[in-house]
Amino acid sequence: MLIPVGADGPRRRLPIVTIALIVLNCLIHANTSWRADRSDRRLMTTVGPLIGIESEIERALLQDTMGDRRVPTRPRELIILGWTTDTVEQSWFWQEYEAGRVEPVTTKRWQEWHERRGAYQAAWDEHFHVKWGFRKSSFNPLTLFSSMFLHADFWHLLGNMLFLWAVGVNVEISWGRAHFLLTYLGGGVVAAASFGVLTGSDVPLIGASGAVATLMGAFLVRHFWTKLRFFCFFIHVGIVRLPAWVFIPFWVVEQIRGLNAAPIHGGGGVAFSAHLGGFFAGVLIAVLMRFTGVQAKLEPELERADHAREKARHLEEAELHQQRGDGFGLVDSLRAALAEDPSDAELHGRLLDELITRGRHEEASTLGIERLKEHWKARRVREYLQLLSRLDRDMPNATLPSDLRLRAASALTETQPHLAARHLHRLLTDAPPGDPLKKKALTEYAALLERLGDSAGARAAREQLRQS
């Protein structure tokens, strides 16, 4: 047995809509379950008398032939709503009986049957789930939506909400709240329509499973490789993780098998047709979002908004730490804010200042080196040279990688040869023995000194190059 508990993936944003849907479903169930229970009890009081007189009629009238033929007996189902989707099937015989063609309507037995039948039908029509669930025979657009928030019992609700949480969070984070909610509600409508088209039952459809199945279809397309987490009771007790491409197709096959096993009445309490209709609606929505470019446009915007929101939160925390005099907390918050927006030069400078001020030179050096590499990769030469000069000024004893010095010298050779020579001299001073860049630095250093008129220094550099 597998109980869904969630899915892998980043939680950069609180899944407000998913949480709201779960809370709303729970609140509605808590407020309506007693109404459904009261409807069940009323219906139960009418079923016994009706079955009793119908059994009496069948024993009396279905034993003998009527004219030159025998009245056919068809299987009857008279199951109480709430724990099944089976319904009362009006057989040919009862249609004929009600019309008075089997037994005159003036007989006491017919009138008693008609009275009990009427009491049952009234209790059925007034049943809470019958009124607010989706029924194709009495179509009401409102029930397309109300049916999504009604559940037969606690376990029905729990199963749907667990799956809603497992697949809904990632879809909401990927697509945003508005698109997620439209997908959920639209999929629920398609699921109800599929139930009406593919099944012959007139028992009302209730439950969020059709809408949740839509999210499962969207999850399969959008998060194909993402693993779903389940609590397992079979063989291994604990958390197991199954990829979406493994679990969801297996679930779809089970729905198809269930529908084929009970195509008329919908599956003995499980609306397989609604599940399949919702699932394929979710797949279609996800495919359209991907190939129309909506997803490619929407998700980066959501990601940027997430980063901006997280950055602002970390900066607020940094201000609080600064007010309290908590240097470690301040640095950690600034570092977290910079991780959300690495391109913020001002924030980078502030973090570097804090590290240098607090004597954390090793961390400052590491941060500076990372930033230098980013500047060079982005061809921001001016920012690169400014940061390198700052590191030399504020941390004169820090040792930087040779390639960073060599790049600076190359960039300054034509415009500022004296500064280029200084970087090369620093490289030669700091470089460890056996540094492969040392020979190249010596060559360039000798050429620069010659150009600057320092012939003795150039000869010394060439002599050192020969000895190396």
Side-chain angles (χ1 to χ4, degrees), residues 21-294:
L21 286 171
I22 292 174
V23 172
L24 183 60
N25 274 278
C26 292
L27 289 176
I28 290 176
H29 181 71
N31 190 49
T32 60
S33 59
W34 65 272
R35 301 172 190 268
D37 290 342
R38 185 174 62 182
S39 298
D40 285 341
R41 288 193 296 270
R42 182 186 174 192
L43 191 61
M44 289 276 288
T45 61
T46 65
V47 169
L50 179 60
I51 292 179
I53 194 168
E54 286 189 346
S55 299
E56 179 185 334
I57 293 171
E58 288 175 351
R59 287 194 299 270
L61 300 180
L62 297 184
Q63 303 302 318
D64 302 321
T65 58
M66 297 176 57
D68 60 347
R69 60 181 179 175
R70 193 169 188 80
V71 175
T73 303
R74 294 176 57 188
R76 250 182 342 103
E77 298 170 37
L78 195 58
I79 310 299
I80 301 304
L81 175 67
W83 289 269
T84 177
T85 57
D86 293 336
T87 186
V88 178
E89 178 180 321
Q90 293 284 356
S91 68
W92 174 87
F93 171 76
W94 292 111
Q95 292 173 2
E96 294 291 301
Y97 188 85
E98 186 175 20
R101 289 189 286 270
V102 177
E103 188 170 46
V105 299
T106 56
T107 63
K108 181 180 179 180
R109 184 165 56 192
W110 188 94
Q111 292 177 356
E112 186 178 356
W113 172 85
H114 189 264
E115 180 182 349
R116 294 183 184 182
R117 179 69 186 180
Y120 166 79
Q121 193 63 48
W124 172 268
D125 292 338
E126 289 299 315
H127 195 288
F128 185 79
H129 287 163
V130 173
K131 291 176 67 175
W132 295 105
F134 175 75
R135 297 172 66 198
K136 64 178 180 179
S137 63
S138 56
F139 177 72
N140 179 355
L142 181 61
T143 62
L144 287 170
F145 298 96
S146 63
S147 61
M148 298 183 211
F149 298 93
L150 299 177
H151 292 84
D153 54 32
F154 171 78
W155 300 109
H156 185 202
L157 172 71
L158 180 63
N160 283 340
M161 295 304 100
L162 287 173
F163 271 101
L164 173 55
W165 176 256
V167 299
V169 172
N170 282 29
V171 176
E172 180 181 347
I173 290 174
S174 297
W175 288 357
R177 294 161 186 164
H179 286 79
F180 171 79
L181 183 59
L182 289 174
T183 299
Y184 181 87
L185 296 176
V189 170
V190 173
S194 301
F195 179 80
V197 171
L198 298 178
T199 62
S201 174
D202 194 39
V203 167
L205 172 69
I206 59 173
S209 55
V212 174
T214 304
L215 299 181
M216 293 180 72
F219 189 97
L220 179 63
V221 176
R222 175 58 186 84
H223 298 280
F224 188 77
W225 300 103
T226 301
K227 291 184 178 180
L228 293 162
R229 297 194 302 273
F230 301 87
F231 189 83
C232 180
F233 288 98
F234 180 69
I235 300 178
H236 167 76
V237 177
I239 299 296
V240 296
R241 298 161 69 242
L242 296 174
W245 63 269
V246 172
F247 174 77
I248 296 180
F250 174 79
W251 175 85
V252 172
V253 170
E254 289 299 306
Q255 305 310 300
I256 294 173
R257 289 177 58 189
L259 182 63
N260 290 335
I264 296 179
H265 298 291
V270 181
F272 295 109
S273 54
H275 296 174
L276 291 170
F279 171 79
F280 287 112
V283 169
L284 179 61
I285 291 170
V287 169
L288 289 176
M289 287 190 67
R290 173 172 293 183
F291 288 100
T292 57
V294 174

Side-chain angles (χ1 to χ4, degrees), residues 367-384:
L367 179 65
I369 290 170
E370 292 175 357
R371 189 66 170 170
L372 284 171
K373 291 178 179 179
E374 292 172 6
H375 283 323
W376 189 261
K377 185 177 182 180
R379 298 293 185 265
R380 296 191 293 265
V381 178
R382 188 183 66 172
E383 290 83 353
Y384 181 92

